Amino acid sequence: MNATSWARDLWRRLTEPGQWSRRRAAGECLLAFVLAVLAAWGEYVTGHGWVRAVAVAVAVAVLSVVRRALPATALVAAGLLCGGTEGGGLLLPVVAWSAGARITGVLRALLAFSASFALYAALVVWIAHPGWVWLAVMHTLFFLVFAVVPGLANRYWTQRRTLLDTLRERNAQLLRERQMIAGQARMRERQRIAQDMHDSLGHQLALIAVQTGALEVDRELTGRQREAVGVLREASVAAMQELREVVGILKDGTHDEGQPASRVVAGIQGLVDAAAAAGMRVGLERTGEARPLAPAADHAAYRVVQEGLTNAAKHAPSASITVSLRYEPDSLVVEVANGPAPEGAGGRATAGAVSGGQGLTGLRERARLVGGMVFAGAVEDGGFRLAAVLPYDSAEAREAREARETTLVDGGGDFRQQSWAAGPGEGGAVIDLLDPREEFKDIMSTKKSNGCLLGCGIALLILVALAVAAFFGVSKAIDETDKAMVDPSVYASVKVGDPEDQVREKLPSGKSVLVSDLQGKGPAAPAGATCLTLLSKGGSTDVNTDTVDRFCFKDGKLVEKREFDVKN
């Protein structure tokens, strides 16, 4: 790849759509500015001058901006800058945080962090502080805390978020498939019921219609008998028509083609006329402007009237009945009310009337499914009233219907445990039911989950290494400090002319790297004397100045003690 294509690819990654939203651009610019200012200030206060401070600030700002597009390159450059300058330390954790999530592949990330650490350690240990090999432990600890830990933390957090997103998508897919399975199960059951109804009830009703038709033309029947047989024939034909409609609804949820769309308008009048022809005193009242209902609500209204007339015929055959349809602003009110049965034989309930006891329960369920309600009970004058409130086909009713149609199977048991006898060619399940353990194994076998587990293991090892390094580093630092520093009270208690053995017993050994570069600094030592150079615990208030206590011995006695300041 030549320089032109490399630059074009870099520009494409920097200007990728969605990479720089207004909020992100503002945040990145602010972060780069703050890091650049802090880096320039750090360089300037340590005495490196404005030229170097500005150069370091520009480098920090550039690396901060490109760290998303070039994570590995920015990480290596940040390690180099942090090791060679005083102001680049704050950039390292920021770049490492981004690099941990954006460097693809564990091996590539390991190489990038290793290269960054190698450059950082080379500049800090071998260039900035030659001979301070023991400080490698402390700087290694610094790099682990401010570079490796942020990188691993962001890498783990990103992989965990990705894994959770994947699990959410898988869960949503399972829920959709669960809905499909439940919908297919309902459809198969409805088709089975429709087939049973068609095969059994359809056959019986057809026989009734044929027999009553033949009986109606029998010459031996009287006019009244022929009229009663005609009513039975019409009822059987109407029952067959209703059966066909119900079978059609059970099969695909729609009415048969060519049938009226509204039973409320076209069907209830027929029910009232049939009841009147059978000798019942019934009337129909309509109020309000007719409005369309959803098919299920329309069917429920028809069933309410049918059930009300049937109950009145059973329990109060001679009572007057009023069927009313009231079109309210938000719903249709269907009511069947009958007065008290007159006294006498005709006012008693029909002997042997068959009652399944499920009519009102079924009506309440129908109304509930369309967002309505049913009321039934006796009235003050001794009659009975059956009423239903059914909403129109509004947006709310459609939402309720759609929610009902997509209702999941009963949550009492896992849908994976359900099975159907139907095979693949008979509307079987649309997915293979997987064992949860196999599903979990499949999820955890993905690259991202493996990377997450590997990241957790590496993070644990690094934490253990950090704890060990911190323990040895602190112990070494304390030991080196004890060998190199003297208390001001000890310095004051030592007098020139004291025996060398007594003086050295009061002083530390001085065999520490903290004072290794102090040799030869300060005033000239007495000729022929052996000097012990130590750091004073009193110290100077200037962070760039060390207070040094020097003790010189000759011929077994202390010939000089001197305290002076040395610039770092």
Side-chain angles (χ1 to χ4, degrees), residues 275 280-284 308-309 312-313 316-323 336-339:
M280 300 175 64
R281 295 188 297 163
V282 59
L284 176 62
L309 292 176
S318 301
S320 62
I321 306 171
T322 301
V323 178
V336 180
N338 61 270

Side-chain angles (χ1 to χ4, degrees), residues 167-181 408 415-416 431-432 434 439 443:
L167 291 177
R168 290 191 187 97
E169 293 177 0
R170 182 181 290 268
N171 182 62
Q173 180 182 358
L174 290 176
L175 289 178
R176 289 193 297 268
E177 293 171 349
R178 184 177 182 178
Q179 293 173 358
M180 294 172 60
I181 293 172
L408 301 182
F415 75 98
R416 305 173 197 280
I431 60 170
D432 294 331
L434 302 178
E439 249 185 280
I443 294 174

Side-chain angles (χ1 to χ4, degrees), residues 185-509:
R186 288 195 301 268
M187 183 60 68
R188 287 196 300 272
E189 185 65 16
R190 289 168 62 176
Q191 290 175 351
R192 184 189 64 79
I193 295 174
Q195 188 66 38
D196 290 345
M197 291 177 63
H198 180 273
D199 293 343
S200 59
L201 294 180
H203 176 70
Q204 299 298 331
L205 290 174
L207 290 178
I208 294 174
V210 171
Q211 294 296 328
T212 53
L215 184 61
E216 188 177 7
V217 298
D218 192 344
R219 295 179 180 180
E220 297 182 0
L221 294 180
T222 63
R224 185 173 180 80
Q225 291 174 336
R226 186 173 288 106
E227 182 180 354
V229 172
V231 171
L232 290 177
R233 182 184 58 80
E234 292 177 359
S236 63
V237 172
M240 290 182 63
Q241 181 65 29
E242 292 181 18
L243 179 61
R244 283 195 295 269
E245 293 184 11
V246 171
V247 168
I249 293 175
L250 284 174
K251 284 184 176 180
D252 54 12
T254 61
H255 290 280
D256 291 338
E257 295 183 1
Q259 298 302 322
S262 176
R263 283 180 175 273
V264 174
V265 176
I268 291 180
Q269 183 65 56
L271 285 176
V272 173
D273 294 342
M280 300 175 64
R281 295 188 297 163
V282 59
L284 176 62
E285 298 177 356
R286 290 190 179 95
T287 58
E289 183 180 355
R291 296 176 58 179
L293 279 80
D298 199 33
H299 196 75
Y302 182 86
R303 292 303 183 194
V304 168
V305 176
Q306 191 178 50
E307 181 69 17
L309 292 176
T310 302
N311 289 339
K314 289 179 181 179
H315 305 291
S318 301
S320 62
I321 306 171
T322 301
V323 178
S324 63
L325 302 177
R326 298 199 302 271
Y327 290 92
E328 303 292 345
D330 57 348
S331 60
L332 171 66
V333 179
V334 182
E335 183 179 281
V336 180
N338 61 270
E343 294 295 332
R348 296 191 302 269
T350 303
V354 178
S355 177
Q358 299 297 322
L360 293 179
T361 303
L363 289 181
R364 290 190 178 95
E365 181 64 16
R366 287 178 183 271
R368 185 189 67 82
L369 292 178
V370 298
M373 59 187 69
V374 170
F375 302 92
V379 294
E380 295 180 358
D381 61 358
F384 193 84
R385 174 175 173 264
L386 174 64
V389 180
L390 305 172
Y392 300 126
D393 195 18
S394 60
E396 293 78 6
R398 286 193 296 270
E399 291 178 1
R401 186 166 63 253
E402 292 173 359
R404 185 183 72 252
E405 291 174 354
T406 58
T407 300
L408 301 182
V409 293
D410 184 13
D414 194 331
F415 75 98
R416 305 173 197 280
Q417 299 174 0
Q418 301 181 13
S419 60
W420 296 272
E426 301 175 351
V430 295
I431 60 170
D432 294 331
L433 302 182
L434 302 178
D435 186 89
R437 293 170 296 182
E438 295 298 326
E439 249 185 280
F440 182 76
K441 185 187 300 182
D442 179 61
I443 294 174
M444 299 307 294
S445 64
T446 60
K447 293 182 179 180
K448 293 179 180 179
S449 60
N450 283 338
C452 182
L453 293 177
L454 181 60
C456 293
I458 294 177
L460 180 61
L461 292 177
I462 288 179
L463 289 177
V464 174
L466 285 176
V468 174
F471 174 77
F472 285 105
V474 171
S475 301
K476 182 65 175 178
I478 294 175
D479 183 59
E480 293 293 327
T481 300
D482 292 339
K483 293 179 181 179
M485 303 192 73
V486 61
D487 192 86
S489 60
V490 175
Y491 176 83
S493 64
V494 174
K495 305 297 182 181
V496 175
D498 290 346
E500 180 178 357
D501 295 340
Q502 296 180 6
V503 174
R504 287 190 179 275
E505 289 180 359
K506 298 179 179 181
L507 300 177
S509 64

Side-chain angles (χ1 to χ4, degrees), residues 100-142:
R102 287 176 172 79
I103 298 179
T104 57
V106 177
L107 181 58
R108 186 177 179 184
L110 180 61
L111 292 176
F113 276 90
S114 298
S116 179
F117 172 71
L119 293 175
Y120 166 79
L123 289 176
V124 170
V125 178
W126 299 107
I127 298 177
H129 304 288
W132 289 15
V133 180
W134 76 272
L135 287 179
V137 176
M138 298 301 297
H139 289 294
T140 300
L141 181 62
F142 172 84

